[in-house]
Amino acid sequence: MIAGLLIALLAIFTVLRAVRIVPQARARNVERLGRYHRTLQPGLNFVIPYIDRVYPKIDLREQVVSFPPQPVITEDNLVVEIDTVLYFQVTDPRAAAYEIANYLNAVEHLTVTTLRNVVGSMDLECTLTSRDTINSQLRGVLDDATGKWGLHVNRVEIKAIDPPQTIKDAMEKQMRAERDKRAVILGAEGKRQSQILTAEGDKQAAVLRAEGNRSAEILKAEGQSRAIDQVFQAVHRNDPDPKLLAYQYLQVLPQLAQGSGNTFWVIPGEVTAALQGVSRAFTEALPKSTATHATSSDEVSALAADDAAQAAEAAAAAVADAAKTDDTHHIPTQRADQHAVGMGPSAAS
C-alpha cells in the first residue's frame, strides 16, 4: 500500500511537470538536455518531464523603466543631472534570454553612455532647449544596439535636466534681467507713443488755432477796410472844407493830455489858426451838402458853437491838469505867424 501510494504521488507530480500553462503576452523558453529546444506560446503546452527544463516567464508587453539621475558633462564643462525614462518591448524571447545576461542592466548602461556622448557635444543652453533632438538620437542608437538582444526601443524621454545650484541662480538672475529689460522697453515704447500722440494733438491744435486766427484777422481787416472805405466815401461825398478839419483837430487835443506820462506837451501854432477858422465858421453860414439837407444853417451853427465851446473847455482842463502834474515844466505857445505851410509840431526833450 505504501509503495502504491508513492507511485501514485509520483505519477501526479509527473503529470503536473508535463503540463505548462503560459499566460497571454508571456513566453517561456524550454531547454532539452541543456540545449534550447523551443519557446512556449500562450496557452496549454506539454513538455517531457525530467528531460525538458522550462525557464521563467518573459514579459512581451511594452515596459517602462525609469533610470536614476546620471551626471553628464556638457560641452561648456558643466555637470548636469539627467533623469531618463525608457520605453522598450521584448520581441524575441530566445535572444533576450541567450544573447544578453541581463537586458535591463545592459539597457541602463547603454542609455547612460549614449546620453553622455550626445550631451557632451552640446552646451547647457542647447541641452535645455533640445530635448527632442536628444530623445531622437538616443532612440536611434539604443534601437540599433538592442536589436540583436531581441529588444525594440520605442521611446526615450528626458524626464529632468538639473544643472548645478549656482547655474540655477545665474539663470534666474538672467531671466529676471530679461523681464526687467522687456518691462523697461515696453514702458519706453508706451511713453514714446504717448509723446507722439500728444505732439500730433498739439500740432493739429496749433494748426487749427492758426487757421482760426488767420480767418479772424482776415475778417477784421476786411471789416476795417470796408469801414475806412465807407468813411472815405462819406467824407468825399460831403465835400469837407478846412474848417471841419480844424474842428476835428480841436476834438483830438483833449485826448493828447489824457496820458499818464504826459508831463510836457506842445501846442503847435496851427491851433491858433484853427481856432480863428472855427470862430469864423460860427459867424458864417455853412454850405449845404448831402449830409445837411435836413438841417438849417442856424441849427448847424448853434451845434457847431456848442461843440467848439465843449472842445475849448476840455482843452483848458487838459492844460490845467498837465500844469498841476509838473510845476517845473511849462507849456509854451507859438504865434500863428511862426508856423510854416502844413502842420509841424515842435519836439521837446
Side-chain angles (χ1 to χ4, degrees):
M1 185 180 294
I2 295 173
L5 182 60
L6 292 176
I7 294 173
L9 292 175
L10 180 62
I12 294 173
F13 181 75
T14 302
V15 171
L16 292 177
R17 292 286 303 272
V19 177
R20 298 297 173 90
I21 300 175
V22 179
Q24 183 66 34
R26 307 289 194 280
R28 302 186 71 173
N29 294 323
V30 177
E31 290 183 357
R32 179 167 292 178
L33 300 178
R35 186 175 182 180
Y36 172 76
H37 177 63
R38 64 191 178 104
T39 299
L40 300 181
Q41 299 299 323
L44 182 63
N45 296 274
F46 295 96
V47 296
I48 300 175
Y50 311 111
I51 298 177
D52 294 340
R53 181 182 177 184
V54 181
Y55 278 85
K57 294 179 290 185
I58 298 176
D59 197 342
L60 301 180
R61 297 173 297 179
E62 184 176 6
Q63 303 180 39
V64 180
V65 180
S66 178
F67 301 128
Q70 299 295 328
V72 179
I73 301 176
T74 61
E75 187 180 11
D76 48 357
N77 297 325
L78 292 176
V79 180
V80 294
E81 299 286 338
I82 300 181
D83 190 2
T84 57
V85 178
L86 182 66
Y87 298 83
F88 71 96
Q89 185 177 10
V90 177
T91 58
D92 188 357
R94 186 193 66 79
Y98 294 100
E99 296 294 337
I100 188 71
N102 188 345
Y103 59 85
L104 288 178
N105 191 17
V107 168
E108 179 181 359
H109 287 82
L110 182 61
T111 302
V112 172
T113 55
T114 306
L115 184 64
R116 288 176 178 173
N117 291 332
V118 173
V119 176
S121 60
M122 301 179 180
D123 56 6
L124 181 60
E125 294 293 337
C126 185
T127 302
L128 294 175
T129 58
S130 303
R131 294 195 177 192
D132 293 338
T133 303
I134 297 174
N135 293 338
S136 61
Q137 292 183 5
L138 284 175
R139 180 183 176 279
V141 173
L142 292 176
D143 197 16
D144 293 338
T146 58
K148 63 179 181 179
W149 299 340
L151 304 177
H152 175 67
V153 178
N154 295 326
R155 293 190 308 276
V156 179
E157 298 292 339
I158 302 297
K159 186 167 65 174
I161 299 178
D162 296 328
Q165 187 62 35
T166 57
I167 302 299
K168 291 181 180 179
D169 296 339
M171 293 172 61
E172 184 177 359
K173 292 180 180 179
Q174 181 182 2
M175 294 176 61
R176 189 181 301 110
E178 289 292 335
R179 293 191 186 96
D180 295 340
K181 183 181 73 173
R182 288 197 296 267
V184 172
I185 292 174
L186 291 177
E189 288 290 337
K191 185 176 180 180
R192 182 175 70 89
Q193 190 69 19
S194 175
Q195 291 178 353
I196 290 174
L197 294 177
T198 303
E200 289 291 336
D202 295 340
K203 176 184 175 182
Q204 294 180 2
V207 170
L208 294 176
R209 194 179 298 110
E211 291 180 355
N213 293 333
R214 183 187 64 179
S215 300
E217 292 294 335
I218 291 174
L219 294 176
K220 183 177 179 181
E222 290 179 355
Q224 292 178 354
S225 174
R226 291 180 182 178
I228 292 173
D229 184 63
Q230 291 180 2
V231 171
F232 183 78
Q233 292 180 3
V235 169
H236 283 274
R237 185 169 57 248
N238 294 326
D239 191 15
D241 55 1
K243 300 174 182 179
L244 179 59
L245 298 179
Y247 173 69
Q248 294 292 332
Y249 188 78
L250 287 175
Q251 288 183 338
V252 174
L253 283 178
Q255 299 179 1
L256 296 176
Q258 291 179 1
S260 59
N262 292 337
T263 59
F264 177 75
W265 55 289
V266 179
I267 299 178
E270 288 82 354
V271 176
T272 306
L275 292 174
Q276 293 177 358
V278 172
S279 62
R280 286 196 302 269
F282 293 157
T283 58
E284 297 177 359
L286 293 175
K288 298 279 186 173
S289 64
T290 57
T292 60
H293 286 325
T295 307
S296 63
S297 60
D298 296 336
E299 295 176 354
V300 172
S301 298
L303 294 175
D306 294 337
D307 293 338
Q310 294 177 1
E313 292 177 358
V319 171
D321 294 337
K324 292 178 181 179
T325 304
D326 190 359
D327 295 338
T328 61
H329 295 78
H330 63 278
I331 303 175
T333 58
Q334 297 179 354
R335 295 176 302 185
D337 55 356
Q338 292 180 353
H339 70 278
V341 181
M343 298 180 66
S346 301
S349 61

